[in-house]
Amino acid sequence: MFDRPATGERALLVHADERCAESMVGEFRELAVSAGARIAGAVRYPDRSPDPKFFVGAGKADEIRAAVEAGGAEVVLFDRPLSPAQERNLERHVECRVLDRRALILDIFAQRASTFEGKLQVELAQLEHLSTRLVRGWTHLERQKGGIGLRGPGETQLETDRRLVDKRIRVVRERLEQVRVRRRLSRRARSRSGIPVAALVGYTNAGKSTLFNRLTGAGVLAEDRLFATLDPTLRRFELGGGDTVVLADTVGFIRQLPHDLVAAFRATLEETKEAQLLVHVVDATAPDRKERMRDVHDVLQAMGAGEIPTLEVFNKCDALARERFDVGSGWPRMEPGPGVRPARVLASAKTGAGMDLVIEAIRSHVGRSRVTRIARIPPSQGRLRAAIHACADVVEEVGEPDGACRMTFRIEPDALARLRRDTRLAEFLAEPDSGSRKEAAPSVAADRP
């Protein structure tokens, strides 16, 4: 078997020809560039039933070998998944490394992971991928022969490698389970505090991290490349009016994302499953944005998050000609949904246009249903005053000459009932007035200049 080169910078792309949209070809090139490859050429193959030996047929395999020699390619990248046998046969035929789409995405993930959890998730996915591609390619892997000094445990090197890989997979899964436990405890603490979670989801390179930075000032990595952000980031964000939300920036999705990769990242994606709102960030400049939105929806369904309320944010509107925008002219603006809550916001995270509408839309989805009350708390009721501060949003607090304070606060009905039951709050409440009615949901503007 040939010796694999240590590097694979110059890449030959092999992608389908028939019924293959140009957007998919461009996306595959972006994947290769994101992995650090320099494109040495491209070969198209007919989109038909795969050949069991080479995937593309013997004649096309010869063409790929000629293109490798002409372009000096060090690695061949396929846009479709290859079986272990097909990958091995192609490597022997073209005499260079061959990677399929899944291995290419894994390589990008390995470059992007920076936290302990992210590295564990990438390692698990890589090990599971490697376990299917351990083959006997060298003579030293043969079973040991009989004779004096040659008798061994009777285990081939291949079997030893598989056993070691399986053992490492078990160790990584145990460590990831510990990460899941810690995340579960963190979510339980947030649940007790009553703070809702809004997860930013969407196709990779749609601008999720840019929107996240614009809203929270977190300063996470935001670059114009696929999978620029891999590790999740959570930040507490004040929506105004006393409402608070935890924003979660998650890994982006992509077309034909393998389901086992989604399973490997379940510790991260659980933040999405447990969210009260999904903010679906859409690249408005993408010509195939409808297909991308459908792909994201399919992945969310596979994760079990398909029924969570969703707010669409069409991003990058500043880079899109108005006549090409087929959802209507004029932005930034907010579009209403079937109910009272908005369904879509047209904005630009890069310029900041429409961010107030994004905040208003998120608040309308996750804002708490509260009532306003006014109470006159005497100086002797310091504990009651502290209890109000602990479970309500104090709008105004004015001291009076006798030492009492007049408090105007907004509170959830359940918390108000508990205060009435456990304290003497009812004795100090003012008479209900117009301010005590349940707050109406924020108004939704159908269009704004």
Side-chain angles (χ1 to χ4, degrees):
M1 192 178 204
F2 70 94
D3 293 330
R4 292 186 171 186
T7 61
E9 297 297 325
R10 292 183 59 81
L12 176 71
L13 305 185
V14 181
H15 51 77
D17 187 8
E18 299 176 6
R19 301 190 301 276
C20 181
E22 289 301 322
S23 59
M24 295 182 63
V25 176
E27 180 181 278
F28 185 54
R29 291 182 64 90
E30 288 184 43
L31 279 173
V33 172
S34 297
R38 292 181 287 114
I39 308 302
V43 174
R44 294 187 177 227
Y45 62 88
D47 189 8
R48 61 190 181 192
S49 298
D51 178 76
K53 183 178 181 180
F54 292 124
F55 182 81
V56 293
K60 188 61 67 172
D62 292 337
E63 182 182 340
I64 293 173
R65 178 173 181 171
V68 168
E69 295 175 353
E74 299 165 312
V75 61
V76 177
L77 303 178
F78 272 74
D79 68 337
R80 301 292 172 85
L82 301 175
S83 69
Q86 291 167 343
E87 182 178 303
R88 183 169 64 254
N89 293 334
L90 281 167
E91 286 186 338
R92 288 172 175 169
H93 188 74
V94 303
E95 296 186 350
C96 75
R97 295 175 57 218
V98 175
L99 299 177
D100 61 4
R101 182 185 181 90
R102 185 182 187 277
L104 179 60
I105 294 176
L106 273 176
D107 185 80
I108 298 174
F109 281 7
Q111 297 179 44
R112 303 288 192 268
S114 58
T115 65
F116 174 72
E117 176 188 354
K119 292 177 180 178
L120 281 179
Q121 293 175 140
V122 171
E123 182 181 0
L124 176 60
Q126 288 176 324
L127 288 172
E128 290 177 339
H129 181 67
L130 176 64
S131 65
T132 65
R133 281 159 168 76
L134 289 176
V135 295
R136 187 165 67 92
W138 295 271
T139 57
H140 76 278
L141 300 182
E142 294 179 354
R143 189 178 300 274
Q144 296 186 27
K145 301 177 181 179
I148 298 176
L150 296 177
R151 294 181 178 90
E155 183 179 46
T156 66
Q157 184 66 42
L158 175 61
E159 291 169 341
T160 302
D161 291 343
R162 283 176 175 167
R163 177 167 47 81
L164 293 175
V165 169
D166 291 341
K167 181 179 179 180
R168 181 59 184 172
I169 288 176
R170 289 194 298 271
V171 171
V172 173
R173 283 177 175 170
E174 290 173 359
R175 292 182 177 178
L176 277 176
E177 183 60 30
Q178 297 174 1
V179 173
R180 294 185 66 194
V181 171
R182 290 196 295 270
R183 285 192 174 275
R184 194 178 304 120
L185 293 175
S186 299
R187 286 195 298 269
R188 189 179 303 169
R190 291 198 300 267
S191 178
R192 284 198 299 264
S193 67
I195 301 177
V197 177
L200 302 182
V201 300
Y203 212 80
T204 182
N205 204 29
K208 296 183 300 300
S209 296
T210 304
L211 177 63
F212 186 79
N213 290 336
R214 175 67 66 175
L215 293 176
T216 66
V220 299
L221 178 65
E223 295 184 1
D224 185 16
R225 60 179 182 174
L226 302 183
F227 299 113
T229 302
L230 182 60
D231 300 302
T233 306
L234 286 81
R235 291 291 186 274
R236 181 168 174 159
F237 178 60
E238 302 292 337
L239 295 171
D243 286 319
T244 304
V245 68
V246 173
L247 286 179
D249 184 20
T250 61
V251 62
F253 302 140
I254 197 170
R255 189 177 288 117
Q256 299 176 8
L257 184 66
H259 289 286
D260 49 355
L261 277 184
V262 176
F265 282 79
R266 63 178 183 174
T268 296
L269 298 176
E270 278 180 354
E271 297 294 344
T272 301
K273 291 176 59 177
E274 301 296 330
Q276 285 70 48
L277 174 67
L278 300 181
V279 181
H280 183 181
V281 183
V282 181
D283 183 357
T285 65
D288 60 338
R289 60 177 174 272
K290 293 182 179 179
E291 289 77 11
R292 294 188 176 192
M293 293 171 67
R294 184 170 58 250
D295 292 333
V296 171
H297 181 265
D298 292 343
V299 175
L300 292 174
Q301 288 283 1
M303 290 168 44
E307 303 302 321
I308 300 176
T310 302
L311 168 69
E312 296 176 356
V313 176
F314 275 64
N315 189 31
K316 304 184 183 181
C317 290
D318 58 307
L320 192 63
R322 189 172 294 181
E323 60 271 16
R324 289 177 51 207
F325 203 42
D326 58 8
V327 296
S329 60
W331 72 278
R333 76 169 189 272
M334 185 159 46
E335 297 181 348
V340 298
R341 295 185 177 94
R344 177 183 298 166
V345 178
L346 278 62
S348 170
K350 182 178 180 180
T351 64
M355 291 300 101
D356 56 333
L357 301 181
V358 173
I359 295 173
E360 182 181 346
I362 295 176
R363 184 185 176 194
S364 68
H365 278 272
V366 301
R368 294 171 290 180
S369 176
R370 298 162 301 170
V371 294
T372 301
R373 289 294 185 268
I374 300 175
R376 185 179 183 277
I377 309 300
S380 60
Q381 295 295 321
R383 290 187 178 180
L384 173 59
R385 179 171 172 268
I388 293 175
H389 275 280
C391 63
D393 298 316
V394 178
V395 178
E396 186 180 34
E397 188 172 5
V398 180
E400 297 187 351
D402 60 354
C405 65
R406 184 178 179 86
M407 300 179 66
T408 302
F409 57 92
R410 288 195 289 257
I411 189 171
E412 294 184 25
D414 292 343
L416 178 61
R418 288 195 298 269
L419 277 180
R420 285 177 176 272
R421 183 183 66 246
D422 300 337
T423 67
R424 298 172 56 189
L425 176 64
E427 301 178 17
F428 309 111
L429 285 175
E431 290 294 328
D433 53 18
S434 59
S436 66
R437 292 194 302 268
K438 189 176 181 179
E439 289 187 347
S443 59
V444 178
D447 197 355
R448 296 196 179 190

